[in-house]
Amino acid sequence: MSAGIVAIGNIGINSAYIYVGTMLLCSLGVYFVMKKIYRWAIKNQMLRFLAYIGASIVIICFTIISGMVQEKEVWPFLKTAMQSLVFLGFSLAVFPLLHQFLLKRK
């Protein structure tokens, strides 16, 4: 019966509550960091960067959810999604620079 109970002093706390509390604190930390990044990007009008971050979040969430629904190992799916996001980020950075370079040469 006491499986999953963590004793802190004289108080027994279910370990699931500790995990939920830790995840909430991590989520709060990520929220504040991302809030500062978004403010900086909006101030500098970096729309490609904001779109890339939004697309990355959606793709990663979709990948994790689809892997869980299919009851398969999520890591190979996540690895493939991350590799495709790296390619997308690289192309979003290089193609506009290449376009500007070609326009200046003409």
Side-chain angles (χ1 to χ4, degrees), residues 47-93:
L47 296 178
R48 267 194 203 104
F49 179 68
L50 291 172
Y52 175 72
I53 289 176
S56 299
I57 291 170
V58 169
I59 289 172
I60 289 171
C61 290
F62 178 73
T63 303
I64 291 172
I65 290 170
S66 66
M68 292 176 140
V69 167
Q70 294 176 5
E71 296 180 3
K72 294 185 177 181
E73 186 66 32
V74 177
W75 292 114
F77 291 121
L78 196 56
K79 181 180 175 186
T80 305
M82 296 299 283
Q83 289 173 345
S84 65
L85 288 172
V86 167
F87 180 74
L88 175 65
F90 182 74
S91 63
L92 285 174

Side-chain angles (χ1 to χ4, degrees), residues 9-79:
N10 292 331
I11 302 171
I13 298 175
N14 193 341
S15 61
Y17 295 135
I18 293 173
Y19 295 137
V20 168
T22 304
M23 290 305 294
L24 285 174
L25 287 174
C26 290
S27 298
L28 191 63
V30 168
Y31 168 76
F32 285 119
V33 168
M34 291 305 295
K35 186 176 171 182
K36 290 182 187 252
I37 290 173
Y38 271 109
R39 280 189 182 160
W40 171 75
I42 289 171
K43 188 175 100 177
N44 293 328
Q45 297 180 352
M46 302 174 77
L47 296 178
R48 267 194 203 104
F49 179 68
L50 291 172
Y52 175 72
I53 289 176
S56 299
I57 291 170
V58 169
I59 289 172
I60 289 171
C61 290
F62 178 73
T63 303
I64 291 172
I65 290 170
S66 66
M68 292 176 140
V69 167
Q70 294 176 5
E71 296 180 3
K72 294 185 177 181
E73 186 66 32
V74 177
W75 292 114
F77 291 121
L78 196 56
K79 181 180 175 186

